[in-house]
Structures are given as structure tokens and as C-alpha cells.
Amino acid sequence: MISVELGKTGEKIPILGQGTWGIKKSHNKEEIIQIKATLERGIEIGMTHIDTAEAYGGGRSEEIVGEVIAANRRDDLFITSKLFPKHVGVDSMKKACYKSLERLGIDCLDLYLVHWPSFVVPKIEKHMRVMEELLKEGKTRYIGVSNYSVKQFKEAQGYLKNAELVTNQLGCNIKRQKHINESLPYYQKEGVTFTAYSPLGHRGFTNLKGDLREKLEKIANANSATIQQIAIAWLINHDNVITIPKTFNLDHLHSNSEAADIKLSEEEMKLLQSI
Ligand SMILES: NC(=O)c1ccc[n+]([C@@H]2O[C@H](COP(=O)([O-])OP(=O)(O)OC[C@H]3O[C@@H](n4cnc5c(N)ncnc54)[C@H](OP(=O)(O)O)[C@@H]3O)[C@@H](O)[C@H]2O)c1
């Protein structure tokens, strides 16, 4: 699996990781076996970055990821989790991180993100104070944010005394190109990794219609690929972009992983950019 530098850390992260949104408390045994088998296989083929959050399935996603971590060498994995902005006080925010660590069964995250900018309280400043304290306490190796505008990102970075935000995780895909067009140039210039979530539009792009489908199919045929592979390839053919498709289906996993090797021409990128 191709890897790229995470922010300006000097550390490499796989260009394709694995999302875990959709894991819920109500899964039966067979479903859990399937989810874990897919995550395990993903790890074997180099998709060692696993993305989770305290909010996913009320903590169930972190628990299942924890079981996968326990069956692997911790150092081979890159684990991201996220603080949900429902906690108001510094102590309760820190406690949320400790609980994530407990569910994951690890002492330290690789990356901890603020999941969303604060809706009302607490303010960005307080979130950044907490994130910096968690770094100092050794609860996470790196910190970042998610769903922040460039303005909010700059504000957040400004509050940090001795730390840098290494990523902004943003919803971005072939149908939702706003962030690629409007904010990617900023993150490229600043050396901040742009992590694209929902690379397959959250539902797998199985019901695409019209012009978008036609363009994707044309490029997919020319590359002996599927439209999903082209959608993923389009994202990671941009400098400084990594992505975290979610699948609990082994065929989809293998197919998605192959998208990392698709090099789109300038002409193909332009055609897709204009969708
Ligand atoms: N920071 C945030 O606010 C935020 C928000 C949303 C998501 N995320 C993260 O980003 C990850 C990915 O985003 P996402 O889960 O929203 O959606 P996504 O990865 O865009 O799409 C996932 C859907 O696509 C299907 N799929 C995957 N590969 C496929 C293929 N090759 N062919 C057909 N269908 C395919 C999956 O079903 P199968 O399982 O059946 O393959 C699933 O239903 C999440 O899991 C989560 O970790 C972060």
C-alpha cells in the first residue's frame, strides 16, 4: 500500500485506511465476525490506518476495533479516534479520551481529532487546550480536527502553543468536491494532511445516475476499473490527500485497495473535476 507523510511529522501513513462508521450495538455474532475479518484483511494488505470515534455506535466501533488491535501488533497499526463535541468541561473532554482508550484497549492513540467544531460551547480554544494536554499526557501521538472550515482550522492552530494539527478530516468525494476545490490548496501549502471521509458518498455510489455515472464509467472502462475505484483514485490522485473508505465486504475491500495503484491522466482528472 502506498503511504504518504502525515502532516509534517516525517511519519508515513497509508494513502487508504479503513472507516468504521456504521458499527452498531445491535450486530449479531456473524456480523461481528464479518466486520473483524474485513478489518483484519485490510490490515494484511496494508490498510493499517483505522478510523473510529466515540460517537460510532455509542462506543461499539471502538470496542470492535479494540478487539482487532489486540489480535495484531500495536505498532503495525495507526489508530485514529475522535472527541465528540458534546462534552463541555475540560475534565469531561479528557475523560472521553480516556474512555476511548479503554474501549480500544490501548494506552495511546496515534491520532486524536475533534470530531466537529463546537456547536455552542465549548469554544475551539478549550478544545485545543484539551488536545494539547492529552498530547503532553501521552494519550495521543498526534492531534487534528474534523469538519473545520479553513478559518476555524487557522483559529484552532493559533491556540496551540507547542503542537501542530496534522490533519483536517473532511467529507469529500466525486459528488461533493467543495473542499478539494476550496480548501485543499491551503492544506497542501501548509503541509497538513487532507483526510477525505465518505469517499464513496456514504452509500457506495451504487445508485449513481446521469452525467456523473457516464463520465465515471468511461474512465473506469479505460482503466479496467470500477466506478468506485475511480472515485477513490480521483481523491488520492490529488497531492496530500488520504482517504478512509468503509466496507465490511471482503470483495469491496480488495477492490477498493486496488484503487491506490490507479494513476489517472491529467485529462481524466480534469473531466472528473468538472462534474
Ligand atoms: N469525521 C466525520 O465527521 C466522518 C463522517 C462520516 C464518516 N467518517 C469516516 O469515514 C469513513 C468512510 O465514510 P462513510 O462510511 O461515510 O462512507 P463511504 O466509505 O463513502 O461508503 C461506505 C459505503 O460504501 C459501500 N462500499 C464500500 N466499498 C464499496 C464498493 N467497492 N462497491 C460498492 N459499495 C461499496 C459500503 O458498503 P459495504 O460495507 O457493503 O461494502 C458502505 O455502505 C467512515 O466509516 C468513518 O470512519 C468520518
Side-chain angles (χ1 to χ4, degrees):
M1 177 56 60
I2 296 165
S3 57
V4 294
E5 185 177 2
L6 173 68
K8 290 174 281 194
T9 64
E11 173 154 348
K12 293 283 182 87
I13 185 165
I15 203 155
L16 291 183
Q18 304 191 73
T20 64
W21 187 91
I23 295 181
K24 44 187 188 278
K25 290 210 161 130
S26 57
H27 285 304
N28 62 33
K29 258 192 195 163
E30 285 70 33
E31 287 167 335
I32 291 171
I33 289 170
Q34 175 70 21
I35 292 168
K36 283 164 64 176
T38 318
L39 290 170
E40 286 279 5
R41 182 67 190 134
I43 291 167
E44 280 167 16
I45 59 178
M47 295 165 79
T48 52
H49 173 203
I50 302 181
D51 179 81
T52 183
E54 64 167 298
Y56 297 171
R60 191 69 185 123
S61 166
E62 288 179 326
E63 284 171 0
I64 291 190
V65 171
E67 290 172 28
V68 172
I69 296 171
N72 282 275
R73 276 177 31 150
R74 170 69 185 95
D75 288 354
D76 291 344
L77 306 176
F78 190 98
I79 306 297
T80 296
S81 193
K82 313 185 196 79
L83 173 74
F84 204 64
K86 67 178 178 185
H87 313 283
V88 178
V90 168
D91 286 347
S92 93
M93 286 190 246
K94 284 168 81 171
K95 218 170 172 184
C97 176
Y98 305 153
K99 281 194 181 154
S100 285
L101 288 168
E102 210 176 294
R103 285 189 289 267
L104 289 160
I106 55 179
D107 300 327
C108 180
L109 285 155
D110 294 293
L111 177 59
Y112 198 43
L113 310 178
V114 180
H115 205 147
W116 287 87
S118 40
F119 305 120
V120 194
V121 273
K123 300 267 185 280
I124 291 177
E125 183 172 9
K126 203 191 260 183
H127 269 144
M128 290 306 115
R129 187 180 136 202
V130 170
M131 296 307 257
E132 202 156 15
E133 284 183 22
L134 290 168
L135 259 182
K136 274 194 208 138
E137 288 176 22
K139 302 298 181 195
T140 184
R141 297 171 59 229
Y142 303 113
I143 56 171
V145 292
S146 179
N147 299 300
Y148 276 42
S149 66
V150 169
K151 186 167 172 275
Q152 289 165 327
F153 186 93
K154 286 180 185 169
E155 182 185 342
Q157 183 58 59
Y159 292 128
L160 295 170
K161 294 187 179 70
N162 287 305
E164 288 200 3
L165 297 169
V166 299
T167 193
N168 191 0
Q169 188 181 114
L170 295 159
C172 192
N173 56 59
I174 197 82
K175 267 186 95 172
R176 193 179 170 197
Q177 301 191 5
K178 184 174 181 284
H179 292 302
I180 286 269
N181 297 331
E182 293 175 12
S183 63
L184 178 61
Y186 170 77
Y187 297 111
Q188 285 172 332
K189 183 163 76 60
E190 296 299 319
V192 173
T193 299
F194 180 113
T195 307
Y197 74 70
S198 301
L200 296 172
H202 197 57
R203 291 201 168 79
F205 284 154
T206 46
N207 287 319
L208 281 184
K209 293 194 173 61
D211 190 38
L212 173 54
R213 184 164 197 108
E214 269 174 38
K215 281 183 180 168
L216 276 171
E217 272 177 354
K218 188 175 162 209
I219 295 173
N221 289 337
N223 286 275
S224 306
T226 66
I227 60 169
Q228 286 80 11
Q229 287 174 324
I230 298 301
I232 293 172
W234 173 77
L235 281 168
I236 56 177
N237 268 248
H238 290 90
D239 280 347
N240 208 42
V241 177
I242 65 171
T243 188
I244 45 172
K246 170 264 163 181
T247 182
F248 301 144
N249 171 310
L250 281 169
D251 291 337
H252 290 169
L253 176 85
H254 287 127
S255 171
N256 295 348
S257 72
E258 286 162 14
D261 299 319
I262 298 175
K263 184 84 198 102
L264 297 172
S265 68
E266 252 177 62
E267 199 187 322
E268 289 171 329
M269 287 297 279
K270 266 193 203 142
L271 190 65
L272 294 172
Q273 205 89 28
S274 62
I275 283 171

